Amino acid sequence: MTQHFVSTLFAVRSYFTWLPAPVVSVLMLAVVGILAFYCGNLVTSLTLRIPGSRSAALIRKIVAALRRPTRIMIALLAMVAALPAATGFSYETEQNLKLFFLFLLVLTFGFSAIIVFRIMTEAYLNRLSSREQTDDIMIRTHQTQIRVLRRLTEIMVGIVTVASALMLFPSVKQYGVSLFASAGAASLIVGLSARGLLTNLIAGVQIAVTQPIRMEDLVIINGDWCWVEEINATYVVLRVWDWRRHIVPISYFLENQFENWTHNSAAIIGVVFLWLDYEAPMDKVREMLNEIIRTCPLWDGKVFDAQVADCNAQVMSIRIIASARNALQSWDLRCDIREKIIARIRQECPEALPRARFAMMPPRPGEEAWPSELLSPKIDRPPPGSYMGPGTPGA
């Protein structure tokens, strides 16, 4: 088939012998590339008309994303096949053009592979996200692994593609051989200069495998509540509750201690402390708390208790625990409990509110009830006529 294609090009080229040979060769390659480009457009357009099904929809999406790379690859292949008919070029020029076209072909193929891999992983992630489970650890585990490993795979595919394309040129190949000959010094220099990058890349693989954090995990960093918004190859984006963002190197989560509130489950037990007076009727307070918690829709119905946890000379500390489905609901649940129990105590048993006390002790025998100095304190007054104020005559 290739021989027939080249013979046809020779036959067409015979009609343009009146033009300089290099000009004819350039025009022929340009025409072949343009025709192949539009033929590829026709093929991809026909593929997009596949009747609908879920798998066909994914194929149509991949084909739509690959329309331009596919047309470029078909054009490059056609021009490589047409090079033997370009007799207007010298042998060296023909070989250089062939290497250049193959170089572009390898780069386009690697780019297409990255696009296909990204579309397939995005389709899988979208299917996971469409599930109804609000807190599925397995879903967040898969999301984390796929997102981290996808970025690492894209980096590796990009490196292999560029390296393969450059190795087509003999000069680059010789440079690679000489580089391997001095691999000891080169690896030491590269390792020292890229230590941070390599550390984070390796940490990304460990994060994907060991799962200390996942997508949408709630972690505590520098005293802030943060949700894991993005896990990239070298850094993690954390979303704070007030919409700020922490950009943290991914190796931080392997080298430092941190809190993960949703590692095994998003459910969490919240704690509320009340400080009440010793006159507080605890049975009635517990009864009010039971009535309040049953009317709270944020309580998951699993854990609830109220105990006297501590006391001091003035008040006693009441510790209330209640479970919720996640940390946000736990925060709102605790605020709701505080507001309602304070309102109930103020209305039904105000004697339970904290108060300051002092005692008036009776005098001991032989002592006055109040010292005479307090009953008639001595006031030092100046002698008459000694005060020279602004309104005094002669002042």
Side-chain angles (χ1 to χ4, degrees):
M1 183 177 179
T2 305
Q3 186 65 32
H4 180 69
F5 176 68
V6 174
S7 300
T8 303
L9 291 179
F10 272 114
V12 174
R13 192 179 189 284
S14 62
Y15 292 102
F16 297 93
T17 55
W18 51 275
L19 287 174
V23 175
V24 176
S25 299
V26 171
L27 290 176
M28 184 182 63
L29 290 178
V31 171
V32 168
I34 292 172
L35 290 177
F37 186 84
Y38 283 103
C39 287
N41 186 24
L42 178 62
V43 172
T44 53
S45 299
L46 292 176
T47 308
L48 289 174
R49 297 179 182 178
I50 297 175
S53 68
R54 178 169 296 182
S55 58
L58 178 60
I59 293 174
R60 287 197 303 273
K61 188 174 182 179
I62 293 175
V63 172
L66 293 179
R67 288 185 69 174
R68 182 167 296 178
T70 302
R71 287 179 287 180
I72 294 175
M73 284 192 290
I74 292 175
L76 290 172
L77 287 173
M79 287 189 288
V80 170
L83 274 176
T87 57
F89 298 135
S90 62
Y91 177 77
E92 184 179 357
T93 302
E94 181 181 343
Q95 292 301 314
N96 290 334
L97 285 174
K98 183 177 181 180
L99 289 176
F100 179 70
F101 291 152
L102 291 176
F103 173 77
L104 295 179
L105 184 63
V106 172
L107 291 181
T108 308
F109 182 79
F111 178 70
S112 303
I114 292 175
I115 291 177
V116 172
F117 183 69
R118 182 176 297 180
I119 291 175
M120 295 180 67
T121 53
E122 282 294 335
Y124 181 70
L125 290 175
N126 291 334
R127 189 171 64 179
L128 285 177
S129 301
S130 63
R131 296 184 180 180
E132 296 181 355
Q133 291 92 336
T134 58
D135 179 39
D136 193 340
I137 298 297
M138 187 61 65
I139 290 177
R140 295 192 288 114
T141 299
H142 286 180
Q143 287 178 339
T144 302
Q145 291 176 339
I146 290 173
R147 290 182 186 276
V148 174
L149 296 179
R150 181 179 67 183
R151 288 174 173 84
L152 295 175
T153 302
E154 290 175 355
I155 292 174
M156 295 303 298
V157 170
I159 293 174
V160 172
T161 300
V162 174
S164 302
L166 291 175
M167 292 297 287
L168 293 172
F169 298 95
S171 60
V172 177
K173 188 182 296 186
Q174 293 175 2
Y175 176 75
V177 173
S178 63
L179 182 62
F180 282 122
S182 59
S187 60
L188 181 61
I189 294 173
V190 172
L192 290 175
S193 61
R195 184 178 60 86
L197 175 62
L198 295 177
T199 300
N200 285 306
L201 287 175
I202 296 173
V205 176
Q206 291 179 281
I207 291 289
V209 174
T210 59
Q211 299 283 313
I213 57 172
R214 305 182 186 91
M215 296 296 298
E216 294 302 323
D217 267 357
L218 177 60
V219 297
I220 307 299
I221 297 291
N222 296 328
D224 286 333
W225 287 22
C226 306
W227 284 264
V228 179
E229 188 174 52
E230 295 180 23
I231 301 179
N232 295 292
T234 57
Y235 65 91
V236 178
V237 179
L238 304 175
R239 184 182 69 252
V240 190
W241 63 272
D242 57 0
W243 298 350
R244 289 180 292 128
R245 299 296 191 274
H246 288 309
I247 310 298
V248 182
I250 198 168
S251 59
Y252 176 90
F253 296 96
L254 298 178
E255 299 172 354
N256 297 277
Q257 181 179 353
F258 65 96
E259 294 183 27
N260 189 337
W261 287 18
T262 55
H263 183 64
N264 293 322
S265 173
I268 193 170
I269 296 177
V271 181
V272 177
F273 284 96
L274 287 178
W275 287 268
L276 300 181
D277 191 81
Y278 281 102
E279 296 291 334
M282 280 303 302
D283 292 337
K284 187 173 182 179
V285 171
R286 286 194 180 93
E287 182 180 350
M288 291 189 291
L289 286 171
N290 283 318
E291 295 175 0
I292 290 171
I293 198 66
R294 290 193 182 95
T295 61
C296 291
L298 299 177
W299 183 49
D300 62 1
K302 294 181 180 179
V303 178
F304 174 74
D305 198 6
Q307 295 175 316
V308 179
D310 198 1
C311 58
N312 55 32
Q314 288 79 32
V315 294
M316 57 181 177
S317 175
I318 312 301
R319 180 174 175 265
I320 305 165
I321 58 173
S323 58
R325 296 173 183 86
N326 54 55
L328 280 181
Q329 292 186 4
S330 176
W331 172 267
D332 294 335
L333 175 62
R334 285 180 286 166
C335 295
D336 198 16
I337 291 174
R338 289 191 193 95
E339 294 175 5
K340 292 182 178 179
I341 190 61
I342 290 174
R344 292 283 299 272
I345 291 175
R346 189 173 61 246
Q347 293 174 2
E348 301 181 21
C349 48
E351 69 277 5
L353 296 175
R355 289 175 290 178
R357 292 181 173 87
F358 69 94
M360 298 181 64
M361 303 297 295
R364 289 180 291 182
E367 292 184 352
E368 297 181 5
W370 292 96
S372 58
E373 291 82 1
L374 296 178
L375 296 176
S376 57
K378 182 179 179 181
I379 301 176
D380 295 330
R381 300 178 181 274
S386 63
Y387 177 70
M388 303 295 289
T392 306

